[in-house]
PDB file of all heavy atoms in Angstrom:
ATOM      1  N   LEU A  17       7.254   2.456  20.861  1.00  0.00           N
ATOM      2  CA  LEU A  17       7.705   1.298  20.097  1.00  0.00           C
ATOM      3  C   LEU A  17       8.951   1.650  19.288  1.00  0.00           C
ATOM      4  O   LEU A  17       9.004   2.651  18.648  1.00  0.00           O
ATOM      5  CB  LEU A  17       6.587   0.833  19.170  1.00  0.00           C
ATOM      6  CG  LEU A  17       6.841  -0.478  18.375  1.00  0.00           C
ATOM      7  CD1 LEU A  17       5.530  -1.260  18.304  1.00  0.00           C
ATOM      8  CD2 LEU A  17       7.389  -0.219  16.991  1.00  0.00           C
ATOM      9  N   TYR A  18       9.955   0.761  19.398  1.00  0.00           N
ATOM     10  CA  TYR A  18      11.208   0.897  18.662  1.00  0.00           C
ATOM     11  C   TYR A  18      11.188  -0.054  17.500  1.00  0.00           C
ATOM     12  O   TYR A  18      10.830  -1.252  17.688  1.00  0.00           O
ATOM     13  CB  TYR A  18      12.423   0.594  19.540  1.00  0.00           C
ATOM     14  CG  TYR A  18      12.797   1.730  20.480  1.00  0.00           C
ATOM     15  CD1 TYR A  18      12.108   1.963  21.597  1.00  0.00           C
ATOM     16  CD2 TYR A  18      13.909   2.509  20.179  1.00  0.00           C
ATOM     17  CE1 TYR A  18      12.473   3.013  22.469  1.00  0.00           C
ATOM     18  CE2 TYR A  18      14.306   3.573  21.052  1.00  0.00           C
ATOM     19  CZ  TYR A  18      13.547   3.798  22.195  1.00  0.00           C
ATOM     20  OH  TYR A  18      13.860   4.831  23.019  1.00  0.00           O
ATOM     21  N   THR A  19      11.507   0.381  16.269  1.00  0.00           N
ATOM     22  CA  THR A  19      11.525  -0.481  15.105  1.00  0.00           C
ATOM     23  C   THR A  19      12.619  -0.034  14.129  1.00  0.00           C
ATOM     24  O   THR A  19      12.918   1.152  14.015  1.00  0.00           O
ATOM     25  CB  THR A  19      10.174  -0.488  14.378  1.00  0.00           C
ATOM     26  OG1 THR A  19      10.260  -1.364  13.236  1.00  0.00           O
ATOM     27  CG2 THR A  19       9.733   0.913  13.921  1.00  0.00           C
ATOM     28  N   GLY A  20      13.211  -0.975  13.431  1.00  0.00           N
ATOM     29  CA  GLY A  20      14.177  -0.717  12.456  1.00  0.00           C
ATOM     30  C   GLY A  20      13.509  -0.320  11.122  1.00  0.00           C
ATOM     31  O   GLY A  20      14.164   0.203  10.206  1.00  0.00           O
ATOM     32  N   TYR A  21      12.210  -0.526  10.968  1.00  0.00           N
ATOM     33  CA  TYR A  21      11.495  -0.187   9.760  1.00  0.00           C
ATOM     34  C   TYR A  21      11.216   1.332   9.751  1.00  0.00           C
ATOM     35  O   TYR A  21      11.162   1.934  10.800  1.00  0.00           O
ATOM     36  CB  TYR A  21      10.140  -0.930   9.722  1.00  0.00           C
ATOM     37  CG  TYR A  21      10.240  -2.380   9.571  1.00  0.00           C
ATOM     38  CD1 TYR A  21       9.993  -3.231  10.666  1.00  0.00           C
ATOM     39  CD2 TYR A  21      10.665  -2.963   8.393  1.00  0.00           C
ATOM     40  CE1 TYR A  21      10.102  -4.587  10.568  1.00  0.00           C
ATOM     41  CE2 TYR A  21      10.762  -4.379   8.252  1.00  0.00           C
ATOM     42  CZ  TYR A  21      10.492  -5.172   9.354  1.00  0.00           C
ATOM     43  OH  TYR A  21      10.596  -6.529   9.187  1.00  0.00           O
ATOM     44  N   GLN A  22      11.048   1.838   8.573  1.00  0.00           N
ATOM     45  CA  GLN A  22      10.701   3.290   8.403  1.00  0.00           C
ATOM     46  C   GLN A  22       9.208   3.418   8.703  1.00  0.00           C
ATOM     47  O   GLN A  22       8.359   2.658   8.193  1.00  0.00           O
ATOM     48  CB  GLN A  22      11.079   3.774   7.036  1.00  0.00           C
ATOM     49  CG  GLN A  22      12.545   3.829   6.726  1.00  0.00           C
ATOM     50  CD  GLN A  22      13.261   4.816   7.638  1.00  0.00           C
ATOM     51  OE1 GLN A  22      12.879   5.982   7.702  1.00  0.00           O
ATOM     52  NE2 GLN A  22      14.254   4.394   8.363  1.00  0.00           N
ATOM     53  N   PHE A  23       8.867   4.456   9.439  1.00  0.00           N
ATOM     54  CA  PHE A  23       7.482   4.725   9.834  1.00  0.00           C
ATOM     55  C   PHE A  23       6.579   4.811   8.635  1.00  0.00           C
ATOM     56  O   PHE A  23       5.472   4.227   8.633  1.00  0.00           O
ATOM     57  CB  PHE A  23       7.479   6.029  10.619  1.00  0.00           C
ATOM     58  CG  PHE A  23       6.115   6.526  11.034  1.00  0.00           C
ATOM     59  CD1 PHE A  23       5.428   5.890  12.024  1.00  0.00           C
ATOM     60  CD2 PHE A  23       5.569   7.669  10.455  1.00  0.00           C
ATOM     61  CE1 PHE A  23       4.163   6.337  12.408  1.00  0.00           C
ATOM     62  CE2 PHE A  23       4.327   8.116  10.819  1.00  0.00           C
ATOM     63  CZ  PHE A  23       3.646   7.454  11.837  1.00  0.00           C
ATOM     64  N   GLU A  24       6.985   5.454   7.586  1.00  0.00           N
ATOM     65  CA  GLU A  24       6.132   5.645   6.410  1.00  0.00           C
ATOM     66  C   GLU A  24       5.772   4.385   5.655  1.00  0.00           C
ATOM     67  O   GLU A  24       4.750   4.290   5.011  1.00  0.00           O
ATOM     68  CB  GLU A  24       6.780   6.640   5.423  1.00  0.00           C
ATOM     69  CG  GLU A  24       6.956   8.052   5.958  1.00  0.00           C
ATOM     70  CD  GLU A  24       8.188   8.192   6.908  1.00  0.00           C
ATOM     71  OE1 GLU A  24       8.989   7.247   7.024  1.00  0.00           O
ATOM     72  OE2 GLU A  24       8.358   9.343   7.379  1.00  0.00           O
ATOM     73  N   ARG A  25       6.648   3.377   5.764  1.00  0.00           N
ATOM     74  CA  ARG A  25       6.471   2.109   5.045  1.00  0.00           C
ATOM     75  C   ARG A  25       5.073   1.507   5.316  1.00  0.00           C
ATOM     76  O   ARG A  25       4.433   1.000   4.437  1.00  0.00           O
ATOM     77  CB  ARG A  25       7.561   1.143   5.377  1.00  0.00           C
ATOM     78  CG  ARG A  25       7.310  -0.240   4.794  1.00  0.00           C
ATOM     79  CD  ARG A  25       8.436  -1.206   5.052  1.00  0.00           C
ATOM     80  NE  ARG A  25       8.141  -2.522   4.566  1.00  0.00           N
ATOM     81  CZ  ARG A  25       8.888  -3.549   4.716  1.00  0.00           C
ATOM     82  NH1 ARG A  25      10.069  -3.431   5.313  1.00  0.00           N
ATOM     83  NH2 ARG A  25       8.546  -4.698   4.244  1.00  0.00           N
ATOM     84  N   PHE A  26       4.678   1.553   6.589  1.00  0.00           N
ATOM     85  CA  PHE A  26       3.398   0.924   6.972  1.00  0.00           C
ATOM     86  C   PHE A  26       2.286   1.895   7.310  1.00  0.00           C
ATOM     87  O   PHE A  26       1.104   1.541   7.290  1.00  0.00           O
ATOM     88  CB  PHE A  26       3.607   0.025   8.180  1.00  0.00           C
ATOM     89  CG  PHE A  26       4.555  -1.100   7.917  1.00  0.00           C
ATOM     90  CD1 PHE A  26       5.833  -1.139   8.528  1.00  0.00           C
ATOM     91  CD2 PHE A  26       4.239  -2.157   7.029  1.00  0.00           C
ATOM     92  CE1 PHE A  26       6.718  -2.157   8.306  1.00  0.00           C
ATOM     93  CE2 PHE A  26       5.139  -3.159   6.813  1.00  0.00           C
ATOM     94  CZ  PHE A  26       6.387  -3.176   7.454  1.00  0.00           C
ATOM     95  N   THR A  27       2.632   3.146   7.519  1.00  0.00           N
ATOM     96  CA  THR A  27       1.667   4.113   7.963  1.00  0.00           C
ATOM     97  C   THR A  27       0.866   4.739   6.842  1.00  0.00           C
ATOM     98  O   THR A  27      -0.354   4.875   6.892  1.00  0.00           O
ATOM     99  CB  THR A  27       2.341   5.226   8.833  1.00  0.00           C
ATOM    100  OG1 THR A  27       3.141   4.565   9.828  1.00  0.00           O
ATOM    101  CG2 THR A  27       1.300   6.124   9.467  1.00  0.00           C
ATOM    102  N   PHE A  28       1.554   5.192   5.804  1.00  0.00           N
ATOM    103  CA  PHE A  28       0.926   5.946   4.764  1.00  0.00           C
ATOM    104  C   PHE A  28       0.705   5.192   3.444  1.00  0.00           C
ATOM    105  O   PHE A  28       0.084   5.617   2.541  1.00  0.00           O
ATOM    106  CB  PHE A  28       1.675   7.243   4.453  1.00  0.00           C
ATOM    107  CG  PHE A  28       1.846   8.099   5.660  1.00  0.00           C
ATOM    108  CD1 PHE A  28       3.098   8.478   6.115  1.00  0.00           C
ATOM    109  CD2 PHE A  28       0.753   8.528   6.401  1.00  0.00           C
ATOM    110  CE1 PHE A  28       3.252   9.301   7.219  1.00  0.00           C
ATOM    111  CE2 PHE A  28       0.913   9.313   7.542  1.00  0.00           C
ATOM    112  CZ  PHE A  28       2.188   9.688   7.962  1.00  0.00           C
ATOM    113  N   ASN A  29       1.292   3.981   3.413  1.00  0.00           N
ATOM    114  CA  ASN A  29       1.161   3.127   2.205  1.00  0.00           C
ATOM    115  C   ASN A  29       0.061   2.107   2.429  1.00  0.00           C
ATOM    116  O   ASN A  29      -0.249   1.711   3.538  1.00  0.00           O
ATOM    117  CB  ASN A  29       2.521   2.398   1.898  1.00  0.00           C
ATOM    118  CG  ASN A  29       3.614   3.362   1.509  1.00  0.00           C
ATOM    119  OD1 ASN A  29       3.353   4.379   0.870  1.00  0.00           O
ATOM    120  ND2 ASN A  29       4.814   3.110   1.953  1.00  0.00           N
ATOM    121  N   ARG A  30      -0.489   1.678   1.338  1.00  0.00           N
ATOM    122  CA  ARG A  30      -1.559   0.677   1.393  1.00  0.00           C
ATOM    123  C   ARG A  30      -0.976  -0.686   1.822  1.00  0.00           C
ATOM    124  O   ARG A  30       0.042  -1.078   1.305  1.00  0.00           O
ATOM    125  CB  ARG A  30      -2.209   0.558  -0.015  1.00  0.00           C
ATOM    126  CG  ARG A  30      -3.420  -0.324  -0.057  1.00  0.00           C
ATOM    127  CD  ARG A  30      -4.044  -0.253  -1.451  1.00  0.00           C
ATOM    128  NE  ARG A  30      -5.021  -1.269  -1.590  1.00  0.00           N
ATOM    129  CZ  ARG A  30      -4.807  -2.488  -2.059  1.00  0.00           C
ATOM    130  NH1 ARG A  30      -3.587  -2.840  -2.462  1.00  0.00           N
ATOM    131  NH2 ARG A  30      -5.739  -3.377  -2.141  1.00  0.00           N
ATOM    132  N   ALA A  31      -1.637  -1.345   2.720  1.00  0.00           N
ATOM    133  CA  ALA A  31      -1.217  -2.671   3.185  1.00  0.00           C
ATOM    134  C   ALA A  31      -1.458  -3.674   2.085  1.00  0.00           C
ATOM    135  O   ALA A  31      -2.556  -3.706   1.509  1.00  0.00           O
ATOM    136  CB  ALA A  31      -1.931  -3.072   4.464  1.00  0.00           C
ATOM    137  N   GLU A  32      -0.492  -4.481   1.744  1.00  0.00           N
ATOM    138  CA  GLU A  32      -0.607  -5.465   0.679  1.00  0.00           C
ATOM    139  C   GLU A  32      -0.792  -6.894   1.215  1.00  0.00           C
ATOM    140  O   GLU A  32      -1.198  -7.804   0.457  1.00  0.00           O
ATOM    141  CB  GLU A  32       0.589  -5.370  -0.233  1.00  0.00           C
ATOM    142  CG  GLU A  32       0.640  -4.043  -0.975  1.00  0.00           C
ATOM    143  CD  GLU A  32       1.782  -3.940  -1.978  1.00  0.00           C
ATOM    144  OE1 GLU A  32       2.332  -4.985  -2.325  1.00  0.00           O
ATOM    145  OE2 GLU A  32       2.088  -2.824  -2.432  1.00  0.00           O
ATOM    146  N   THR A  33      -0.481  -7.108   2.488  1.00  0.00           N
ATOM    147  CA  THR A  33      -0.636  -8.431   3.060  1.00  0.00           C
ATOM    148  C   THR A  33      -1.340  -8.337   4.377  1.00  0.00           C
ATOM    149  O   THR A  33      -1.506  -7.218   4.948  1.00  0.00           O
ATOM    150  CB  THR A  33       0.742  -9.071   3.329  1.00  0.00           C
ATOM    151  OG1 THR A  33       1.405  -8.374   4.333  1.00  0.00           O
ATOM    152  CG2 THR A  33       1.579  -9.167   2.053  1.00  0.00           C
ATOM    153  N   LYS A  34      -1.817  -9.480   4.904  1.00  0.00           N
ATOM    154  CA  LYS A  34      -2.465  -9.462   6.235  1.00  0.00           C
ATOM    155  C   LYS A  34      -1.520  -8.988   7.338  1.00  0.00           C
ATOM    156  O   LYS A  34      -1.883  -8.332   8.277  1.00  0.00           O
ATOM    157  CB  LYS A  34      -3.035 -10.829   6.556  1.00  0.00           C
ATOM    158  CG  LYS A  34      -4.262 -11.192   5.775  1.00  0.00           C
ATOM    159  CD  LYS A  34      -4.828 -12.508   6.231  1.00  0.00           C
ATOM    160  CE  LYS A  34      -6.054 -12.833   5.364  1.00  0.00           C
ATOM    161  NZ  LYS A  34      -6.654 -14.109   5.764  1.00  0.00           N
ATOM    162  N   GLU A  35      -0.246  -9.438   7.186  1.00  0.00           N
ATOM    163  CA  GLU A  35       0.780  -8.982   8.176  1.00  0.00           C
ATOM    164  C   GLU A  35       0.963  -7.469   8.153  1.00  0.00           C
ATOM    165  O   GLU A  35       1.069  -6.852   9.168  1.00  0.00           O
ATOM    166  CB  GLU A  35       2.069  -9.716   7.955  1.00  0.00           C
ATOM    167  CG  GLU A  35       3.135  -9.382   8.977  1.00  0.00           C
ATOM    168  CD  GLU A  35       4.366 -10.196   8.843  1.00  0.00           C
ATOM    169  OE1 GLU A  35       4.457 -11.276   9.447  1.00  0.00           O
ATOM    170  OE2 GLU A  35       5.303  -9.714   8.186  1.00  0.00           O
ATOM    171  N   GLU A  36       1.037  -6.888   6.976  1.00  0.00           N
ATOM    172  CA  GLU A  36       1.170  -5.453   6.849  1.00  0.00           C
ATOM    173  C   GLU A  36      -0.039  -4.726   7.406  1.00  0.00           C
ATOM    174  O   GLU A  36       0.081  -3.698   8.040  1.00  0.00           O
ATOM    175  CB  GLU A  36       1.391  -5.027   5.406  1.00  0.00           C
ATOM    176  CG  GLU A  36       2.795  -5.355   4.912  1.00  0.00           C
ATOM    177  CD  GLU A  36       2.995  -4.966   3.474  1.00  0.00           C
ATOM    178  OE1 GLU A  36       2.070  -4.332   2.830  1.00  0.00           O
ATOM    179  OE2 GLU A  36       4.116  -5.218   2.940  1.00  0.00           O
ATOM    180  N   GLU A  37      -1.210  -5.317   7.225  1.00  0.00           N
ATOM    181  CA  GLU A  37      -2.444  -4.714   7.827  1.00  0.00           C
ATOM    182  C   GLU A  37      -2.396  -4.746   9.343  1.00  0.00           C
ATOM    183  O   GLU A  37      -2.791  -3.779  10.015  1.00  0.00           O
ATOM    184  CB  GLU A  37      -3.701  -5.422   7.312  1.00  0.00           C
ATOM    185  CG  GLU A  37      -4.996  -4.800   7.763  1.00  0.00           C
ATOM    186  CD  GLU A  37      -5.142  -3.344   7.397  1.00  0.00           C
ATOM    187  OE1 GLU A  37      -4.779  -2.931   6.293  1.00  0.00           O
ATOM    188  OE2 GLU A  37      -5.621  -2.541   8.263  1.00  0.00           O
ATOM    189  N   LEU A  38      -1.909  -5.830   9.857  1.00  0.00           N
ATOM    190  CA  LEU A  38      -1.742  -5.967  11.312  1.00  0.00           C
ATOM    191  C   LEU A  38      -0.738  -4.924  11.828  1.00  0.00           C
ATOM    192  O   LEU A  38      -0.944  -4.289  12.860  1.00  0.00           O
ATOM    193  CB  LEU A  38      -1.319  -7.376  11.707  1.00  0.00           C
ATOM    194  CG  LEU A  38      -1.238  -7.659  13.178  1.00  0.00           C
ATOM    195  CD1 LEU A  38      -2.580  -7.395  13.903  1.00  0.00           C
ATOM    196  CD2 LEU A  38      -0.828  -9.115  13.440  1.00  0.00           C
ATOM    197  N   ILE A  39       0.345  -4.743  11.129  1.00  0.00           N
ATOM    198  CA  ILE A  39       1.383  -3.804  11.523  1.00  0.00           C
ATOM    199  C   ILE A  39       0.782  -2.345  11.431  1.00  0.00           C
ATOM    200  O   ILE A  39       1.008  -1.536  12.337  1.00  0.00           O
ATOM    201  CB  ILE A  39       2.628  -3.872  10.629  1.00  0.00           C
ATOM    202  CG1 ILE A  39       3.339  -5.212  10.941  1.00  0.00           C
ATOM    203  CG2 ILE A  39       3.549  -2.680  10.806  1.00  0.00           C
ATOM    204  CD1 ILE A  39       4.470  -5.576  10.017  1.00  0.00           C
ATOM    205  N   ARG A  40      -0.050  -2.115  10.506  1.00  0.00           N
ATOM    206  CA  ARG A  40      -0.732  -0.765  10.428  1.00  0.00           C
ATOM    207  C   ARG A  40      -1.582  -0.534  11.678  1.00  0.00           C
ATOM    208  O   ARG A  40      -1.636   0.543  12.282  1.00  0.00           O
ATOM    209  CB  ARG A  40      -1.553  -0.655   9.188  1.00  0.00           C
ATOM    210  CG  ARG A  40      -0.831  -0.387   7.914  1.00  0.00           C
ATOM    211  CD  ARG A  40      -1.733  -0.370   6.688  1.00  0.00           C
ATOM    212  NE  ARG A  40      -2.772   0.661   6.776  1.00  0.00           N
ATOM    213  CZ  ARG A  40      -2.642   1.891   6.250  1.00  0.00           C
ATOM    214  NH1 ARG A  40      -1.534   2.231   5.659  1.00  0.00           N
ATOM    215  NH2 ARG A  40      -3.616   2.743   6.385  1.00  0.00           N
ATOM    216  N   LYS A  41      -2.284  -1.594  12.119  1.00  0.00           N
ATOM    217  CA  LYS A  41      -3.114  -1.501  13.319  1.00  0.00           C
ATOM    218  C   LYS A  41      -2.249  -1.210  14.557  1.00  0.00           C
ATOM    219  O   LYS A  41      -2.582  -0.421  15.396  1.00  0.00           O
ATOM    220  CB  LYS A  41      -3.870  -2.774  13.532  1.00  0.00           C
ATOM    221  CG  LYS A  41      -5.010  -2.957  12.513  1.00  0.00           C
ATOM    222  CD  LYS A  41      -5.749  -4.326  12.748  1.00  0.00           C
ATOM    223  CE  LYS A  41      -6.807  -4.552  11.747  1.00  0.00           C
ATOM    224  NZ  LYS A  41      -7.493  -5.855  11.941  1.00  0.00           N
ATOM    225  N   ILE A  42      -1.106  -1.910  14.623  1.00  0.00           N
ATOM    226  CA  ILE A  42      -0.198  -1.711  15.757  1.00  0.00           C
ATOM    227  C   ILE A  42       0.266  -0.224  15.770  1.00  0.00           C
ATOM    228  O   ILE A  42       0.248   0.378  16.812  1.00  0.00           O
ATOM    229  CB  ILE A  42       1.036  -2.606  15.603  1.00  0.00           C
ATOM    230  CG1 ILE A  42       0.652  -4.065  15.834  1.00  0.00           C
ATOM    231  CG2 ILE A  42       2.186  -2.245  16.561  1.00  0.00           C
ATOM    232  CD1 ILE A  42       1.721  -5.112  15.424  1.00  0.00           C
ATOM    233  N   ILE A  43       0.693   0.263  14.645  1.00  0.00           N
ATOM    234  CA  ILE A  43       1.186   1.647  14.566  1.00  0.00           C
ATOM    235  C   ILE A  43       0.096   2.630  15.063  1.00  0.00           C
ATOM    236  O   ILE A  43       0.377   3.536  15.852  1.00  0.00           O
ATOM    237  CB  ILE A  43       1.665   1.976  13.166  1.00  0.00           C
ATOM    238  CG1 ILE A  43       2.966   1.212  12.853  1.00  0.00           C
ATOM    239  CG2 ILE A  43       1.806   3.445  12.971  1.00  0.00           C
ATOM    240  CD1 ILE A  43       3.401   1.231  11.406  1.00  0.00           C
ATOM    241  N   ARG A  44      -1.127   2.430  14.656  1.00  0.00           N
ATOM    242  CA  ARG A  44      -2.228   3.330  15.031  1.00  0.00           C
ATOM    243  C   ARG A  44      -2.546   3.264  16.547  1.00  0.00           C
ATOM    244  O   ARG A  44      -3.130   4.197  17.034  1.00  0.00           O
ATOM    245  CB  ARG A  44      -3.446   3.025  14.187  1.00  0.00           C
ATOM    246  CG  ARG A  44      -3.202   3.345  12.728  1.00  0.00           C
ATOM    247  CD  ARG A  44      -4.403   3.153  11.814  1.00  0.00           C
ATOM    248  NE  ARG A  44      -4.103   3.542  10.469  1.00  0.00           N
ATOM    249  CZ  ARG A  44      -4.072   4.747  10.024  1.00  0.00           C
ATOM    250  NH1 ARG A  44      -4.295   5.764  10.831  1.00  0.00           N
ATOM    251  NH2 ARG A  44      -3.770   5.022   8.772  1.00  0.00           N
ATOM    252  N   LEU A  45      -2.115   2.210  17.216  1.00  0.00           N
ATOM    253  CA  LEU A  45      -2.317   2.087  18.646  1.00  0.00           C
ATOM    254  C   LEU A  45      -1.175   2.737  19.470  1.00  0.00           C
ATOM    255  O   LEU A  45      -1.305   2.915  20.641  1.00  0.00           O
ATOM    256  CB  LEU A  45      -2.449   0.646  19.013  1.00  0.00           C
ATOM    257  CG  LEU A  45      -3.744  -0.068  18.567  1.00  0.00           C
ATOM    258  CD1 LEU A  45      -3.640  -1.565  18.785  1.00  0.00           C
ATOM    259  CD2 LEU A  45      -4.942   0.519  19.239  1.00  0.00           C
ATOM    260  N   CYS A  46      -0.118   3.051  18.807  1.00  0.00           N
ATOM    261  CA  CYS A  46       1.077   3.608  19.500  1.00  0.00           C
ATOM    262  C   CYS A  46       0.983   5.108  19.634  1.00  0.00           C
ATOM    263  O   CYS A  46       0.282   5.781  18.884  1.00  0.00           O
ATOM    264  CB  CYS A  46       2.375   3.274  18.714  1.00  0.00           C
ATOM    265  SG  CYS A  46       2.764   1.559  18.688  1.00  0.00           S
ATOM    266  N   ASP A  47       1.704   5.610  20.609  1.00  0.00           N
ATOM    267  CA  ASP A  47       1.773   7.090  20.794  1.00  0.00           C
ATOM    268  C   ASP A  47       3.049   7.618  20.210  1.00  0.00           C
ATOM    269  O   ASP A  47       3.018   8.737  19.574  1.00  0.00           O
ATOM    270  CB  ASP A  47       1.689   7.410  22.294  1.00  0.00           C
ATOM    271  CG  ASP A  47       0.362   6.937  22.912  1.00  0.00           C
ATOM    272  OD1 ASP A  47      -0.625   7.633  22.631  1.00  0.00           O
ATOM    273  OD2 ASP A  47       0.367   5.946  23.678  1.00  0.00           O
ATOM    274  N   VAL A  48       4.175   6.943  20.415  1.00  0.00           N
ATOM    275  CA  VAL A  48       5.471   7.336  19.935  1.00  0.00           C
ATOM    276  C   VAL A  48       6.169   6.181  19.278  1.00  0.00           C
ATOM    277  O   VAL A  48       6.145   5.081  19.854  1.00  0.00           O
ATOM    278  CB  VAL A  48       6.303   7.947  21.033  1.00  0.00           C
ATOM    279  CG1 VAL A  48       7.674   8.327  20.548  1.00  0.00           C
ATOM    280  CG2 VAL A  48       5.619   9.106  21.710  1.00  0.00           C
ATOM    281  N   ILE A  49       6.774   6.391  18.153  1.00  0.00           N
ATOM    282  CA  ILE A  49       7.607   5.357  17.503  1.00  0.00           C
ATOM    283  C   ILE A  49       9.024   5.928  17.236  1.00  0.00           C
ATOM    284  O   ILE A  49       9.113   7.030  16.708  1.00  0.00           O
ATOM    285  CB  ILE A  49       6.980   4.838  16.184  1.00  0.00           C
ATOM    286  CG1 ILE A  49       5.755   3.993  16.515  1.00  0.00           C
ATOM    287  CG2 ILE A  49       7.989   4.028  15.353  1.00  0.00           C
ATOM    288  CD1 ILE A  49       5.037   3.389  15.289  1.00  0.00           C
ATOM    289  N   VAL A  50       9.985   5.160  17.638  1.00  0.00           N
ATOM    290  CA  VAL A  50      11.407   5.489  17.259  1.00  0.00           C
ATOM    291  C   VAL A  50      11.723   4.584  16.089  1.00  0.00           C
ATOM    292  O   VAL A  50      11.687   3.345  16.257  1.00  0.00           O
ATOM    293  CB  VAL A  50      12.344   5.271  18.437  1.00  0.00           C
ATOM    294  CG1 VAL A  50      13.817   5.590  18.018  1.00  0.00           C
ATOM    295  CG2 VAL A  50      11.940   6.062  19.646  1.00  0.00           C
ATOM    296  N   ASP A  51      11.979   5.131  14.917  1.00  0.00           N
ATOM    297  CA  ASP A  51      12.117   4.307  13.708  1.00  0.00           C
ATOM    298  C   ASP A  51      13.541   4.381  13.207  1.00  0.00           C
ATOM    299  O   ASP A  51      14.352   5.279  13.545  1.00  0.00           O
ATOM    300  CB  ASP A  51      11.118   4.645  12.628  1.00  0.00           C
ATOM    301  CG  ASP A  51      11.492   5.847  11.801  1.00  0.00           C
ATOM    302  OD1 ASP A  51      12.223   6.718  12.272  1.00  0.00           O
ATOM    303  OD2 ASP A  51      10.955   5.998  10.652  1.00  0.00           O
ATOM    304  N   GLY A  52      13.879   3.438  12.312  1.00  0.00           N
ATOM    305  CA  GLY A  52      15.171   3.400  11.659  1.00  0.00           C
ATOM    306  C   GLY A  52      16.123   2.419  12.285  1.00  0.00           C
ATOM    307  O   GLY A  52      16.117   2.216  13.496  1.00  0.00           O
ATOM    308  N   LYS A  53      16.905   1.768  11.453  1.00  0.00           N
ATOM    309  CA  LYS A  53      17.928   0.809  11.940  1.00  0.00           C
ATOM    310  C   LYS A  53      19.013   1.565  12.695  1.00  0.00           C
ATOM    311  O   LYS A  53      19.310   2.702  12.365  1.00  0.00           O
ATOM    312  CB  LYS A  53      18.533   0.078  10.725  1.00  0.00           C
ATOM    313  CG  LYS A  53      17.591  -0.767   9.984  1.00  0.00           C
ATOM    314  CD  LYS A  53      18.317  -1.381   8.784  1.00  0.00           C
ATOM    315  CE  LYS A  53      17.328  -2.126   7.881  1.00  0.00           C
ATOM    316  NZ  LYS A  53      18.028  -2.653   6.690  1.00  0.00           N
ATOM    317  N   PHE A  54      19.613   0.889  13.638  1.00  0.00           N
ATOM    318  CA  PHE A  54      20.801   1.460  14.272  1.00  0.00           C
ATOM    319  C   PHE A  54      21.961   1.397  13.281  1.00  0.00           C
ATOM    320  O   PHE A  54      22.202   0.374  12.657  1.00  0.00           O
ATOM    321  CB  PHE A  54      21.151   0.671  15.561  1.00  0.00           C
ATOM    322  CG  PHE A  54      22.476   1.051  16.113  1.00  0.00           C
ATOM    323  CD1 PHE A  54      22.611   2.299  16.736  1.00  0.00           C
ATOM    324  CD2 PHE A  54      23.598   0.242  16.024  1.00  0.00           C
ATOM    325  CE1 PHE A  54      23.851   2.670  17.293  1.00  0.00           C
ATOM    326  CE2 PHE A  54      24.832   0.615  16.554  1.00  0.00           C
ATOM    327  CZ  PHE A  54      24.963   1.842  17.140  1.00  0.00           C
TER     328      PHE A  54
END
């Protein structure tokens, strides 16, 4: 998965919204993430 967001933003921080919780679930299902804006 390619994302402009920083990996740590959703992975190690507590989710504050339902959308952030869903993003945490997505991350946990991935094998490799390429993070950071171009």
Side-chain angles (χ1 to χ4, degrees):
L17 185 142
Y18 282 77
T19 181
Y21 295 106
Q22 293 295 306
F23 177 71
E24 295 82 3
R25 174 177 175 182
F26 299 111
T27 309
F28 304 123
N29 296 323
R30 186 174 169 268
E32 296 184 14
T33 66
K34 287 184 180 183
E35 185 174 270
E36 287 180 1
E37 184 58 40
L38 185 56
I39 290 171
R40 284 177 60 93
K41 288 179 183 179
I42 291 167
I43 289 168
R44 293 181 179 283
L45 292 169
C46 293
D47 298 288
V48 178
I49 288 180
V50 180
D51 82 337
K53 296 177 188 178
F54 171 72

